[in-house]
Amino acid sequence: MNISNFISKRYLFSKKSRNVINLISLISLTGLLVSAASLIVILSGFNGIQKYVEDVYEKFSASIYVYPKTGKLIHPSDSIFFELNKQKKIEYYSKVIEETALLKFENGWVTAKIKGVDSNTYNLKNWSSNLLDGNGKLFSKNRPKILLGYGIQNELQIPYNKDAPNEIKIFSISKTKKITVQNRNSLNKKNLIFGGSYTITPELDFSSAIIDYSVANKVFEMNNSANYIEIFLDDKNDVFNIKNELANNNKRFLFKTHKENNQLIYAASDAEKWIVLAVLLFVLILSSFTVVASITMLIIDKKKDIKSLIALGCNSNTIKKIFLKEGLMISYLGSISGLIIGLFICYIQMKFHLLKLENSALEYWPVLIKPQDILMLLIILFIMGFISSYLPARILVKRILTN
């Protein structure tokens, strides 16, 4: 029989001579339990939100984006198109025009970022769940249509009417005509059918509109050029290999993956997650101090037992192990119980969606449990538990034995 294991278990579950020690031990265990449960619940909650944001952006995003390193445009004669056409792993690519224009409906004016996309590669299926009005098509009986973010639609106060569609006027500054107050021809104008509205993110909903590339090419006088190119791959696992291959063969262009193109969004999401984790870890450290207090009180309470054990032949290492294991039992019992309870709470939310989100794009709070988060928390909790148990067991027992 291991003496230190047997005695530490007796000390954990038996009644102490002072009730305050039992109370402190219970507080220590409860504090660690709540901290561990909070850590896994909040991290899983942040993972769920992060996954939702990634899904929203990836749904409408290309695998690779191509930008000119110098200048603003990619011209149709540039060699990049030859490279793209011979690359077999590319499913398709699309030239994109993205410029600012004025939109007018009746007496309402609004500035919007217009995105011109190629109808041949425009993936209508991806839009079905995000369309508020309309069918998402960019042409109706050969007449060009415009899709508006719902924030833009609200600003223009334009209703959607399928049978008698409203028209929106789009204005852009001409690149070939001299701009003067008297010269109205310095603005290019085009009438477009209002084809519906969509919602993606608040940023895009209140600033963007979508039209066909051929329409944008005329309105903005692009001469078949593009602001950037979107590349879509058959297998997204090849994205870095293809990106590096294209970058090595085309030094005049800048290539970015989806995550690199939205680096600020992902960085902000990660920063929020780790800041919250740091705050919770600070709370965990404070909870660990209660373990130190509990072991300290127990050592003081068991002075006579320590002397009796020494008289029976126990060495100092055995006595230190007794109180070390006592602290580890409190720490690990509280930590593991907290993780189990936290995982159970996450499972309940994932299964039954108890926490609802009112007036939001999401019906309920999404939760995603990541195995690496559980492993990281186990390591942190075990390290904190060992430190909070080792310090009083070593320092105080050594001081008592010395005296």
Side-chain angles (χ1 to χ4, degrees), residues 377-394:
L377 291 178
L378 282 172
I379 293 171
I380 291 172
L381 291 167
F382 278 27
I383 290 174
M384 292 301 303
F386 180 80
I387 292 172
S388 60
S389 304
Y390 178 80
L391 292 176
R394 179 174 178 81

Side-chain angles (χ1 to χ4, degrees), residues 218-286:
K218 293 179 181 178
V219 171
F220 298 109
E221 299 176 351
M222 298 293 284
N223 296 321
N224 295 324
S225 298
N227 294 108
Y228 59 91
I229 301 172
E230 294 180 338
I231 301 173
F232 299 84
L233 304 180
D234 290 319
D235 185 2
K236 290 187 177 181
N237 294 323
D238 290 332
V239 62
F240 289 103
N241 293 331
I242 295 176
K243 175 202 163 188
N244 292 333
E245 182 181 339
L246 290 172
N248 291 332
N249 296 331
N250 300 273
K251 303 294 185 182
R252 293 174 48 240
F253 300 94
L254 181 65
F255 296 83
K256 292 184 178 182
T257 64
H258 159 66
K259 286 193 174 182
E260 290 170 343
N261 203 49
N262 298 282
Q263 190 174 10
L264 184 60
I265 294 168
Y266 288 98
S269 181
D270 287 334
E272 289 173 357
K273 175 181 174 179
W274 295 118
I275 289 171
V276 172
L277 177 62
V279 173
L280 291 175
L281 286 177
F282 180 72
V283 174
L284 177 64
I285 292 170
L286 295 179

Side-chain angles (χ1 to χ4, degrees), residues 65-338:
Y65 294 84
V66 185
Y67 297 93
K69 284 186 177 179
T70 57
K72 190 181 177 181
L73 301 178
I74 300 175
H75 300 285
S77 58
D78 286 332
S79 60
I80 182 63
F81 294 103
F82 174 75
E83 294 287 339
L84 296 179
N85 289 328
K86 76 175 186 179
Q87 179 57 255
K88 295 181 180 180
K89 292 184 178 180
I90 293 177
E91 184 179 5
Y92 58 90
Y93 66 88
S94 172
K95 294 192 291 184
V96 178
I97 295 172
E98 196 169 276
E99 296 285 348
T100 302
L102 280 171
L103 301 179
K104 181 179 184 293
F105 173 71
E106 294 181 346
N107 295 323
W109 293 81
V110 67
T111 303
K113 184 178 286 186
I114 309 298
K115 184 174 181 178
V117 297
D118 190 346
S119 292
N120 296 323
T121 57
Y122 170 64
N123 194 338
L124 186 58
K125 291 181 181 179
N126 283 0
W127 287 86
S128 58
S129 61
N130 294 80
L131 288 171
L132 301 177
D133 295 308
N135 57 16
K137 293 182 179 179
L138 299 180
F139 279 96
S140 176
K141 298 179 181 178
N142 295 325
R143 295 183 65 190
K145 296 164 70 175
I146 182 169
L147 304 179
L148 302 179
Y150 86 91
I152 298 288
Q153 181 191 14
N154 289 341
E155 287 188 53
L156 286 175
Q157 294 292 304
I158 178 170
Y160 175 74
N161 191 323
K162 180 181 178 181
D163 299 322
N166 291 301
E167 283 195 348
I168 295 176
K169 292 182 175 63
I170 180 172
F171 297 88
S172 71
I173 298 174
S174 174
K175 296 179 180 178
T176 58
K177 300 170 185 175
K178 187 176 180 181
I179 301 174
T180 61
V181 176
Q182 293 80 16
N183 187 8
R184 294 184 179 181
N185 293 327
S186 60
L187 292 177
N188 294 326
K189 184 180 78 171
K190 181 77 174 177
N191 291 344
L192 303 173
I193 295 173
F194 175 47
S197 60
Y198 57 84
T199 176
I200 303 175
T201 65
E203 178 188 359
L204 295 174
D205 294 344
F206 284 84
S207 65
S208 67
I210 297 174
I211 60 177
D212 182 74
Y213 172 85
S214 60
V215 178
N217 186 43
K218 293 179 181 178
V219 171
F220 298 109
E221 299 176 351
M222 298 293 284
N223 296 321
N224 295 324
S225 298
N227 294 108
Y228 59 91
I229 301 172
E230 294 180 338
I231 301 173
F232 299 84
L233 304 180
D234 290 319
D235 185 2
K236 290 187 177 181
N237 294 323
D238 290 332
V239 62
F240 289 103
N241 293 331
I242 295 176
K243 175 202 163 188
N244 292 333
E245 182 181 339
L246 290 172
N248 291 332
N249 296 331
N250 300 273
K251 303 294 185 182
R252 293 174 48 240
F253 300 94
L254 181 65
F255 296 83
K256 292 184 178 182
T257 64
H258 159 66
K259 286 193 174 182
E260 290 170 343
N261 203 49
N262 298 282
Q263 190 174 10
L264 184 60
I265 294 168
Y266 288 98
S269 181
D270 287 334
E272 289 173 357
K273 175 181 174 179
W274 295 118
I275 289 171
V276 172
L277 177 62
V279 173
L280 291 175
L281 286 177
F282 180 72
V283 174
L284 177 64
I285 292 170
L286 295 179
S287 300
S288 299
F289 278 112
T290 60
V291 178
V292 175
S294 177
I295 300 302
T296 302
M297 293 291 289
L298 182 63
I299 292 171
I300 295 171
D301 184 61
K302 300 299 181 182
K303 273 187 180 181
K304 291 181 180 180
D305 291 2
I306 293 172
K307 291 178 181 179
S308 299
L309 289 170
I310 292 171
L312 290 172
C314 287
N315 57 34
S316 60
N317 286 333
T318 302
I319 295 171
K320 289 175 184 176
K321 285 180 182 178
I322 291 172
F323 296 103
L324 173 63
K325 290 177 181 179
E326 166 86 2
L328 291 177
M329 287 180 188
I330 295 173
S331 298
Y332 295 167
L333 181 62
S335 300
I336 293 173
S337 299

